[in-house]
């Protein structure tokens, strides 16, 4: 029977109806996730922590330790390491906070100078901008923004941070219970599946788990590729701190489009400050960033995340745009892992529905159960 099931699985190919249901289900899930973002964000962070710590827990379990004890030791060790890093790093952070603030103001002033100089050059070439006094207007807007920044935006930022801080504390809490009770939850789900579909349910749960794990592995690979490309290009241009800048911009790129804009702005600020009299360096940094982003969207992402999730490159790129249109920034971040899980679920359900052997086994099982429970009710 198991051989027959594997044979039918190998012959199954998803059709247009299944794929339409997968894409529609992905869009619906993203729309719902946008409504419960307060829970989705810590859950995603908890998944990252879970997949980082899971190999350590499994090693302890294979060594003879129980699941609960292994989860407790691994979680406690991770928390102790995090507390040690915070204890050692926080005093240094406080001591260098003033110098970092001065550096940030210096880079910000360098970026403003680069912007006003660029607009002034454009005014010399385009009469329309000169008549509109574009450089003077931009300077006035920047001065007004700087003067009223604390009054307008600091309370909003503080309230947002205060509102999200308790929610983010859920991440380590959820990760601990994933480590401790994840195997129990899988057994709970498996017991609810009819015997005829038991083998496929085990395969399905394994594939869902593998899909989520491969997504995060692909994300790390993508970050590494972006870091190396950006750092190498910035080093050739001559910008200071190329490796740190490359890493920061690669991590910001986890949020498509918005993160890329912030990363490009960061690179331009540093380049404009390092070379205040040579705007060509800032322009070269912008060109480098655009080139790497194109590589990222059309080559690196399909090669890493798309390949990890076994997705076609065209589908990967299109679904990123669909996710942004449906759910905004959260949709951009979550569309690929959600699509990967939806693919596994949709293809498995499609195989179960179209497999006559499995349906026959399930019908035979129910008939036998009916005979068993009604055996003593029959008249002699």
């Amino acid at each position: 029977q198991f051989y027959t099931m594997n044979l039918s699985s190998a012959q199954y190919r998803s059709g247009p109806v299944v794929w339409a249901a997968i894409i529609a289900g992905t869009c619906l899930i993203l729309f719902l996730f946008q409504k419960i973002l307060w829970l989705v964000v810590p859950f995603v962070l908890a998944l990252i922590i879970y997949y980082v710590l899971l190999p350590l827990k499994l090693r302890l379990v294979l060594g003879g330790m129980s699941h609960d004890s292994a989860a407790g030791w691994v979680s406690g060790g991770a928390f102790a390491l995090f507390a040690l890093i915070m204890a050692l790093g926080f005093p240094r952070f406080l001591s260098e906070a003033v110098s970092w603030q001065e550096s940030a103001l210096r880079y910000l002033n360098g970026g403003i100078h680069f912007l006003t100089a660029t607009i002034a050059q454009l005014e010399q070439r385009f009469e329309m901008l000169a008549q509109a006094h574009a450089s003077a207007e931009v300077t006035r807007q920047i001065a007004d923004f700087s003067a009223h920044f604390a009054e307008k935006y600091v309370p909003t930022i503080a309230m947002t941070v205060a509102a999200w801080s308790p929610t983010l504390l859920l991440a380590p809490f959820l990760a601990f219970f994933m480590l401790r009770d994840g195997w129990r939850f899988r057994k709970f789900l498996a017991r609810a599946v009819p015997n005829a579909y038991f083998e496929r349910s085990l395969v399905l749960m394994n594939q869902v788990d593998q899909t989520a794990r491969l997504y995060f592995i692909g994300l790390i690979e993508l970050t590494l590729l972006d870091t190396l490309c950006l750092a190498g290009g910035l080093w050739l241009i001559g910008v200071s701190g190329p490796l740190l800048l490359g890493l920061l911009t690669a991590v910001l790129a986890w949020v498509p489009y918005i993160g890329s804009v912030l990363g490009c702005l960061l690179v331009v600020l540093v380049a404009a400050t390092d070379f205040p009299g040579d705007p060509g360096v800032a322009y070269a940094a912008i060109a480098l960033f655009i080139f790497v982003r194109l590589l990222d969207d059309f080559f690196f992402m399909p090669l890493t995340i798309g390949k990890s999730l076994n997705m076609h490159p065209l589908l990967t790129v299109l679904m990123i745009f669909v996710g942004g249109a449906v759910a905004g920034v959260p949709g951009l971040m979550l569309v690929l892992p959600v699509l990967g899980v939806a693919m596994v679920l949709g293809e498995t359900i499609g195989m179960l529905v179209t497999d006559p052997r499995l349906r026959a086994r399930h019908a035979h099982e129910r008939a036998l159960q009916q005979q068993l429970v009604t055996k003593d009710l029959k008249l002699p």
Side-chain angles (χ1 to χ4, degrees), residues 117-132:
T118 301
I119 296 177
Q121 292 179 357
L122 291 176
E123 283 182 336
Q124 296 175 1
R125 296 185 179 183
F126 300 98
E127 184 66 22
M128 181 178 62
L129 293 178
Q131 294 177 356

Side-chain angles (χ1 to χ4, degrees), residues 220-231:
I220 293 174
E221 294 175 349
L222 177 64
T223 304
L224 179 61
L225 286 174
D226 286 347
T227 301
L228 293 177
C229 291
L230 288 169

Side-chain angles (χ1 to χ4, degrees), residues 72-94:
W73 277 103
V74 170
S75 301
F79 179 78
L81 179 61
F82 177 76
L84 179 63
I85 293 174
M86 291 297 295
L88 296 177
F90 191 69
R92 183 178 178 181
F93 172 79
L94 291 179

Side-chain angles (χ1 to χ4, degrees), residues 196-281:
Y197 303 116
F198 181 75
E199 295 92 345
R200 284 306 308 172
S201 66
L202 294 181
V203 175
L204 173 62
M205 287 187 288
N206 179 69
Q207 288 177 337
V208 170
D209 179 73
Q210 187 178 18
T211 298
R213 181 175 59 85
L214 289 178
Y215 169 76
F216 293 115
I217 293 176
L219 185 62
I220 293 174
E221 294 175 349
L222 177 64
T223 304
L224 179 61
L225 286 174
D226 286 347
T227 301
L228 293 177
C229 291
L230 288 169
L234 293 173
W235 177 75
L236 291 175
I237 295 173
V239 178
S240 62
L243 186 60
L244 178 60
L245 274 178
L247 178 60
L248 289 176
T249 52
V251 173
L252 286 173
W254 289 0
V255 184
Y257 304 117
I258 295 178
S260 298
V261 171
L262 293 177
C264 182
L265 179 62
L266 178 64
V267 171
V268 171
L269 289 178
V270 176
T273 305
D274 289 347
F275 301 91
D278 188 4
V281 177

Side-chain angles (χ1 to χ4, degrees), residues 57-329:
K57 181 216 168 182
L58 293 179
R59 186 177 295 273
L60 292 179
V61 171
L62 293 176
M65 191 175 293
S66 66
H67 284 275
D68 293 352
S69 299
W73 277 103
V74 170
S75 301
F79 179 78
L81 179 61
F82 177 76
L84 179 63
I85 293 174
M86 291 297 295
L88 296 177
F90 191 69
R92 183 178 178 181
F93 172 79
L94 291 179
S95 63
E96 297 183 359
V98 176
S99 62
W100 287 351
Q101 182 178 2
E102 294 176 352
S103 299
L105 292 175
R106 182 169 64 90
Y107 286 126
L108 183 60
N109 291 329
I112 293 174
H113 175 73
F114 168 73
L115 177 63
T116 54
T118 301
I119 296 177
Q121 292 179 357
L122 291 176
E123 283 182 336
Q124 296 175 1
R125 296 185 179 183
F126 300 98
E127 184 66 22
M128 181 178 62
L129 293 178
Q131 294 177 356
H133 304 288
S135 60
E137 180 64 22
V138 170
T139 303
R140 187 187 67 79
Q141 293 288 345
I142 293 174
D144 181 71
F145 176 81
S146 301
H148 299 89
F149 176 80
E151 178 183 350
K152 291 183 178 179
Y153 301 103
V154 170
T156 303
I157 295 174
M159 291 297 295
T160 303
V161 172
W164 275 95
S165 296
T167 301
L168 295 179
L169 292 178
L170 282 174
F173 183 75
L174 294 173
F176 169 72
F177 284 103
M178 288 179 183
L179 285 171
R180 196 189 73 171
D181 300 324
W183 64 281
R184 293 189 177 96
F185 183 69
R186 286 192 293 270
K187 289 179 64 176
F188 172 76
L189 292 179
R191 286 197 299 266
V193 177
N195 184 63
Y197 303 116
F198 181 75
E199 295 92 345
R200 284 306 308 172
S201 66
L202 294 181
V203 175
L204 173 62
M205 287 187 288
N206 179 69
Q207 288 177 337
V208 170
D209 179 73
Q210 187 178 18
T211 298
R213 181 175 59 85
L214 289 178
Y215 169 76
F216 293 115
I217 293 176
L219 185 62
I220 293 174
E221 294 175 349
L222 177 64
T223 304
L224 179 61
L225 286 174
D226 286 347
T227 301
L228 293 177
C229 291
L230 288 169
L234 293 173
W235 177 75
L236 291 175
I237 295 173
V239 178
S240 62
L243 186 60
L244 178 60
L245 274 178
L247 178 60
L248 289 176
T249 52
V251 173
L252 286 173
W254 289 0
V255 184
Y257 304 117
I258 295 178
S260 298
V261 171
L262 293 177
C264 182
L265 179 62
L266 178 64
V267 171
V268 171
L269 289 178
V270 176
T273 305
D274 289 347
F275 301 91
D278 188 4
V281 177
Y283 296 144
I286 294 174
L288 169 67
F289 195 87
I290 293 175
F291 175 70
V292 174
R293 288 279 68 80
L294 291 175
L295 286 178
D296 188 32
D297 291 338
F298 296 101
F299 183 71
F300 290 158
M301 187 172 290
L303 183 65
T304 55
I305 296 178
K307 185 177 180 181
S308 298
L309 299 180
N310 196 25
M311 293 181 188
H312 193 278
L314 178 60
L315 178 65
T316 302
V317 174
L318 290 179
M319 287 305 297
I320 291 175
F321 289 97
V322 172
V326 172
V329 176

